Amino acid sequence: NGETVSQIDQLMLEASEVADSGDLEIALKLYDEIVRMSPGNAKALVGKGDCYMKLQLPDNAETCFDQACLIEPDFSKSWLGLGLLALHKTDNKKADICFNKCLENDSDNDRAYCGLGMVRINRNDLDGAVDYFCKSLDLNPENLSACKLLLELSYKLEQFGEIDIYLNKFIELHPANLNMRFGLAGIQYKRGKLEDSLNNLEYILALDPEHDSAREMLDSVRSDVVLSK
């Protein structure tokens, strides 16, 4: 039996690597093989569900996550998957329950907090959404979805303090992400941090001289710098 277990572990590793590289059909075959050898394998079912979501087959994905939840009710990734599917169907109530279930079993799950933020946006509770995106980014400063959504909300709510901090953290980790650096330059411009904004815009244009939006913003910032002197 130990032999089977190590064989399953090996297949799991292979399946997740294949899925990450984008060969989803092959990954599904590997997960099927694992489920055949070990019918109650919740991890393999969740792996299958994730592949189906990437293939945009939500009904197949839901079947897999549902089965996984029945087999192993405390497995946070099944609840996360069901929450994301519920969001996809704009079933806010179900999404809310599933993300909270995920957090009961994995209290540091940044994706579940990001999901709860999206539910709050759907319910038009924008301040509540901001709180959840901040929680998500406190746990994982690289959560790009939470970062982008918080950036959008900052403009809607005209509140730029939080996003300034999180975008700076993100850029420290990913200095070459020009979209997010442009987002940061815009926030700095809004907050009157003209020198910081200039530095970021010049950095973007050094790497991508064709970045028209950055060039336009640079002209605005420069004329404001002149006025402020």
Side-chain angles (χ1 to χ4, degrees), residues 77-125:
K77 286 182 178 168
S78 325
W79 292 110
L80 180 69
L82 285 174
L84 292 168
L85 281 168
L87 255 186
H88 175 72
K89 295 178 176 174
T90 334
D91 183 344
N92 292 313
K93 190 176 177 187
K94 185 177 179 183
D96 204 323
I97 291 167
C98 292
F99 290 133
N100 278 301
K101 276 284 212 187
C102 172
L103 289 165
E104 274 172 32
N105 299 296
D106 176 12
S107 57
D108 290 346
N109 195 306
D110 61 292
R111 292 180 67 197
Y113 279 117
C114 184
L116 286 169
M118 291 178 186
V119 171
R120 294 301 171 284
I121 289 179
N122 290 345
R123 290 178 171 164
N124 225 10
D125 170 12

Side-chain angles (χ1 to χ4, degrees), residues 24-213:
L24 300 172
E25 301 290 351
I26 296 172
L28 279 171
K29 287 197 175 99
L30 289 166
Y31 284 127
D32 278 336
E33 179 65 15
I34 297 164
V35 173
R36 198 178 56 72
M37 291 164 73
S38 146
N41 195 312
K43 279 186 185 158
L45 286 164
V46 167
K48 273 182 76 172
D50 286 338
C51 287
Y52 281 131
M53 277 174 77
K54 286 177 185 157
L55 289 164
Q56 295 179 334
L57 296 167
D59 294 343
N60 301 39
E62 190 164 15
T63 305
C64 294
F65 292 135
D66 277 337
Q67 282 177 324
C69 283
L70 287 172
I71 293 164
E72 215 175 303
D74 296 340
F75 190 41
S76 60
K77 286 182 178 168
S78 325
W79 292 110
L80 180 69
L82 285 174
L84 292 168
L85 281 168
L87 255 186
H88 175 72
K89 295 178 176 174
T90 334
D91 183 344
N92 292 313
K93 190 176 177 187
K94 185 177 179 183
D96 204 323
I97 291 167
C98 292
F99 290 133
N100 278 301
K101 276 284 212 187
C102 172
L103 289 165
E104 274 172 32
N105 299 296
D106 176 12
S107 57
D108 290 346
N109 195 306
D110 61 292
R111 292 180 67 197
Y113 279 117
C114 184
L116 286 169
M118 291 178 186
V119 171
R120 294 301 171 284
I121 289 179
N122 290 345
R123 290 178 171 164
N124 225 10
D125 170 12
L126 301 187
D127 292 316
V130 167
D131 290 343
Y132 279 122
F133 294 137
C134 290
K135 275 183 182 165
S136 176
L137 289 162
D138 285 336
L139 291 164
N140 174 14
E142 296 176 87
N143 188 318
L144 193 56
S145 300
C147 218
K148 284 180 174 170
L149 290 161
L150 184 59
L151 180 59
E152 280 175 33
L153 286 180
S154 302
Y155 279 98
K156 278 186 184 162
L157 296 167
E158 292 278 315
Q159 294 169 1
F160 302 107
E162 280 134 340
I163 190 63
D164 195 341
I165 296 164
Y166 292 117
L167 276 175
N168 269 300
K169 274 190 203 166
F170 187 90
I171 293 301
E172 270 173 41
L173 297 163
H174 300 280
N177 187 321
L178 300 189
N179 285 339
M180 296 315 270
R181 193 180 281 273
F182 181 65
L184 177 59
I187 295 290
Q188 289 165 333
Y189 181 33
K190 270 285 203 190
R191 302 189 81 199
K193 296 179 169 183
L194 300 180
E195 293 300 327
D196 290 340
S197 186
L198 269 182
N199 290 339
N200 277 314
L201 292 166
E202 282 166 355
Y203 183 102
I204 292 167
L205 287 162
L207 288 182
D208 178 9
E210 306 294 310
H211 199 302
D212 294 336
S213 320

